[in-house]
Amino acid sequence: MDPLPTASRLLVTALSLRICTRRALPMRFRASCILDKQLRTPQQKRLYSQPVSRQPVIDRSASKLFKSADDAVADILSGSTILSAGFGLCGVAETLIHAIKSRGSESLHSLTVVSNNAGIEGAGGLALITKSGQVTKLILSFLGNNKALEKKYLTGHITIELCPQGTLAERIRAGGAGIPAFYTPTAVNTLLQDGKIPAQFDSKGNVIGYGTPREVREFNGRKYLMETALTGDVAILRAWKVDEAGNCIFRYTTKAFGPIMAKAARLTIVEAEEIVPIGALNPNDVHLPGIFVDRIVPATAPKHIEIKRLRRPSLESGKPLGQNDAAARRYRIAKRAAKELKHGYYVNLGVGLPTSAADHVPEGTQVWLQSENGILGMGPHPTEEEVDPDIINAGKETVTLLPGASTFDSAESFSMIRGGHVDVSILGALQVSASGDLANYMIPGKVFKGMGGAMDLVGNPDATKVVVATEHVAKDGSSKIVQKCALPLTGAKCVSTIITDMCVFEVDRKKGELWLTEVAEGVSVEDVRTKTDADFKVVENVRNMEEW
């Protein structure tokens, strides 16, 4: 007998046995060896359920520079979870979003996208790929004014999981830090806790899917919700300057979700306004180290401004805008709300009417305005010459920065808020109850924009005073001050002061009592009772809300 074939067979058998017992090999590879031990030839086609060649490759030894956004997104898989940075249209990876859209819904589809909000129809942002049908699920804090997306959501064409803005930021931060879950006071005693916020509708507008109920646990006498970390397959973000090692610098409020999303994804792609050689950036200036960045492309899409709001002379003069009754009412509320802002306070002002309180802070009183998208030391709206698309407030409006201001990412911002470092938070309301419950983000069947950062802002009422500034009655004439909120709660027993165009109430949150302390000029206690659905008590000496 020729010894060569026998030796060859023994060698093949020995090698196959060794391959099958190596611990470093994937389990499916070893299983295939066992199943095929009669042949002793590993079946490598069973090694992966999905071909390796389709997975996005991260090659640490290769250059991070890609010629174009199209090249950088070419191997993203359908069904991927994409973390999309930006706040409104500020800091959005517009170049990369266009490249994803260019792949088309046949090549790239069934995407889950995590973002603070989803762009503006006809303007930019994620609206480009939600309209193209490439996205099947969104995880957001706020829908915004995207009517097309809202329609798709309410008719069953897309699933939307709403998440408080601060919780969203912290879930992403935790994902990047390898922390699987955490507890937060945000959204306790709301629909979010019970998993009752609608996530999916059918074509007729009937709810067919809800969110996930949260585990509740008590620490030091307070309830907290357990939230799980969020990670992604791919993160897309836009930076101002990036060196070839991937070190990133962001401008102003563009850093809101960029750094935390880069850390929470398996593959991070950055579009850069300026790409510089290694060594060109001062290490002290780097906001995101290159270890978190895998691909770099030139940013070619222009920046967009969602709401260009300019400083108006009438605001500078401290006089009410317009002469109608509505303008006078709002002026009265804002002027009284400004008295809650003391010298040296750190204050968060909600979008709309609460923001106007800043116009009435007396000269010489230093108040530091915090905007939850990442500003401390926010100034007034800009003049035409001062407009910068990278400096916006939480309402996506253009603003300025005062001397001494700082900017930071959203996780940092909400640590200030939840941690009780903000002295006063002033918000608007749809309803507020006698016990201090607040409802201000949803009217079922009518308004469904999302909670944004409101649930976080009222999450620590013992450390941060929560003030509601709102007109006393709604447009339909119904009272906004009610015994019990009929609308979904933003927060329970969180409001300490209610300021309306008619009066001021102080809330005893422990006893669940409402006290009338001030009335507007020409308004009597009986006038307030007529317009108020809630029961309230009256202090002995009711003051004029405009005279002190």
Side-chain angles (χ1 to χ4, degrees):
M1 180 182 290
D2 185 357
L4 186 60
T6 302
S8 298
R9 284 196 298 273
L10 289 171
L11 180 60
V12 169
T13 301
L15 287 173
S16 64
L17 282 169
R18 186 175 180 182
I19 292 171
C20 290
T21 56
R22 287 189 64 185
R23 295 182 60 191
L25 289 173
M27 182 62 72
R28 291 202 59 164
F29 196 119
R30 301 201 299 272
S32 71
C33 294
I34 295 168
L35 290 171
D36 298 301
K37 63 183 178 181
Q38 289 182 334
L39 297 176
R40 296 298 184 191
T41 53
Q43 301 300 301
Q44 294 191 36
K45 64 182 181 181
R46 299 183 186 179
L47 183 55
Y48 294 99
S49 59
Q50 188 164 254
V52 179
S53 60
R54 293 189 60 207
Q55 293 281 1
V57 175
I58 300 173
D59 184 353
R60 297 289 199 190
S61 67
S63 170
K64 295 182 180 182
L65 300 180
F66 277 62
K67 186 180 298 184
S68 69
D70 291 330
D71 291 339
V73 305
D75 56 355
I76 295 177
L77 302 178
S78 295
S80 295
T81 295
I82 296 179
L83 309 181
S84 178
F87 191 90
L89 298 180
C90 178
V92 171
E94 198 77 25
T95 308
L96 290 165
I97 292 172
H98 275 279
I100 290 171
K101 179 179 181 294
S102 294
R103 283 193 49 185
S105 58
E106 291 187 4
S107 170
L108 185 57
H109 56 82
S110 306
L111 299 173
T112 294
V113 180
V114 181
S115 184
N116 186 61
N117 41 285
I120 300 296
E121 182 71 15
L126 292 176
L128 291 170
I129 56 175
T130 58
K131 184 178 181 180
S132 66
Q134 292 169 277
V135 179
T136 55
K137 181 179 179 181
L138 288 165
I139 301 176
L140 307 169
S141 80
F142 195 65
L143 272 73
N145 297 316
N146 193 330
K147 294 291 185 182
L149 177 59
E150 189 173 358
K151 184 178 179 181
K152 291 187 74 168
Y153 170 48
L154 295 174
T155 55
H157 291 91
I158 197 166
T159 299
I160 295 181
E161 177 187 330
L162 290 173
C163 181
Q165 188 180 328
T167 298
L168 181 68
E170 191 64 14
R171 289 177 70 188
I172 295 166
R173 190 203 68 79
I179 298 171
F182 58 91
Y183 287 93
T184 176
T186 299
V188 168
N189 295 321
T190 70
L191 294 183
L192 188 84
Q193 173 182 314
D194 300 329
K196 292 183 178 178
I197 296 181
Q200 190 174 13
F201 294 81
D202 64 17
S203 59
K204 297 180 180 179
N206 301 309
V207 180
I208 58 173
Y210 289 89
T212 304
R214 269 52 168 184
E215 176 190 315
V216 182
R217 187 170 173 181
E218 192 171 296
F219 296 91
N220 301 320
R222 289 189 65 193
K223 290 182 178 179
Y224 293 79
L225 306 186
M226 190 185 82
E227 293 284 354
T228 54
L230 267 175
T231 57
D233 299 301
V234 180
I236 56 172
L237 49 143
R238 181 171 182 138
W240 177 39
K241 288 184 180 180
V242 181
D243 70 14
E244 294 176 8
N247 297 306
C248 299
I249 298 177
F250 299 85
R251 288 189 78 242
Y252 305 120
T253 56
T254 64
K255 62 172 70 77
F257 278 88
I260 58 175
M261 284 186 168
K263 298 170 186 178
R266 177 183 175 272
L267 173 74
T268 294
I269 311 173
V270 175
E271 61 177 75
E273 295 174 33
E274 184 179 348
I275 301 173
V276 299
I278 292 175
L281 301 181
N282 186 324
N284 280 324
D285 296 334
V286 173
H287 298 131
L288 179 68
I291 191 173
F292 300 111
V293 175
D294 303 296
R295 299 177 182 180
I296 305 163
V297 301
T300 57
K303 297 179 182 181
H304 298 292
I305 296 176
E306 189 163 334
I307 303 175
K308 184 179 178 181
R309 186 65 54 83
L310 301 178
R311 193 180 310 155
R312 291 171 286 188
S314 51
L315 281 180
E316 293 175 335
S317 68
K319 296 179 181 179
L321 292 172
Q323 302 298 320
N324 58 48
D325 291 342
R329 289 195 299 271
R330 293 173 66 84
Y331 177 81
R332 184 184 305 136
I333 297 166
K335 189 174 182 180
R336 172 58 185 84
K339 295 177 182 179
E340 300 292 326
L341 313 182
K342 311 300 183 183
H343 184 74
Y345 270 21
Y346 293 97
V347 178
N348 184 288
L349 301 180
V351 177
L353 177 56
T355 303
S356 304
D359 300 321
H360 302 279
V361 175
E363 189 174 347
T365 298
Q366 174 69 66
V367 174
W368 296 95
L369 297 183
Q370 197 255 17
S371 184
E372 61 259 37
N373 62 310
I375 299 176
L376 189 62
M378 181 172 63
H381 297 299
T383 62
E384 185 68 54
E385 294 74 26
E386 294 173 325
V387 170
D388 189 323
D390 293 339
I391 307 176
I392 64 165
N393 64 14
K396 289 83 176 177
E397 302 169 334
T398 48
V399 291
T400 57
L401 302 176
L402 296 177
S406 57
T407 59
F408 31 84
D409 66 55
S410 293
E412 185 77 52
S413 180
F414 281 95
S415 71
M416 297 177 187
I417 293 166
R418 282 190 312 273
H421 305 286
V422 174
D423 296 293
V424 177
S425 179
I426 304 181
L427 300 89
L430 295 170
Q431 287 181 338
V432 59
S433 78
S435 59
D437 296 342
L438 173 65
N440 76 344
Y441 79 98
M442 180 171 71
I443 300 177
K446 293 184 180 180
V447 177
F448 210 85
K449 300 296 185 185
M451 68 288 290
M455 286 185 174
D456 302 276
L457 286 164
V458 302
N460 194 352
D462 292 334
T464 299
K465 183 178 182 181
V466 177
V467 177
V468 161
T470 183
E471 294 192 40
H472 204 93
V473 299
K475 291 180 180 180
D476 62 2
S478 61
S479 176
K480 289 189 173 186
I481 319 301
V482 297
Q483 190 64 28
K484 185 177 181 179
C485 291
L487 298 175
L489 295 188
T490 304
K493 294 185 177 182
C494 57
V495 178
S496 293
T497 301
I498 305 168
I499 301 170
T500 78
D501 52 298
M502 295 186 71
C503 64
V504 175
F505 291 110
E506 297 296 338
V507 184
D508 186 328
R509 293 187 289 113
K510 291 185 178 179
K511 294 182 179 180
E513 294 178 349
L514 205 58
W515 287 84
L516 179 68
T517 59
E518 304 171 38
V519 293
E521 185 72 37
V523 176
S524 67
V525 173
E526 287 308 309
D527 291 334
V528 175
R529 289 196 188 280
T530 301
K531 297 288 187 179
T532 306
D533 285 350
D535 297 331
F536 62 87
K537 298 180 180 181
V538 184
V539 298
E540 186 174 345
N541 296 309
V542 179
R543 293 188 295 187
N544 185 317
M545 63 186 284
E546 297 163 288
E547 289 184 353
W548 68 279

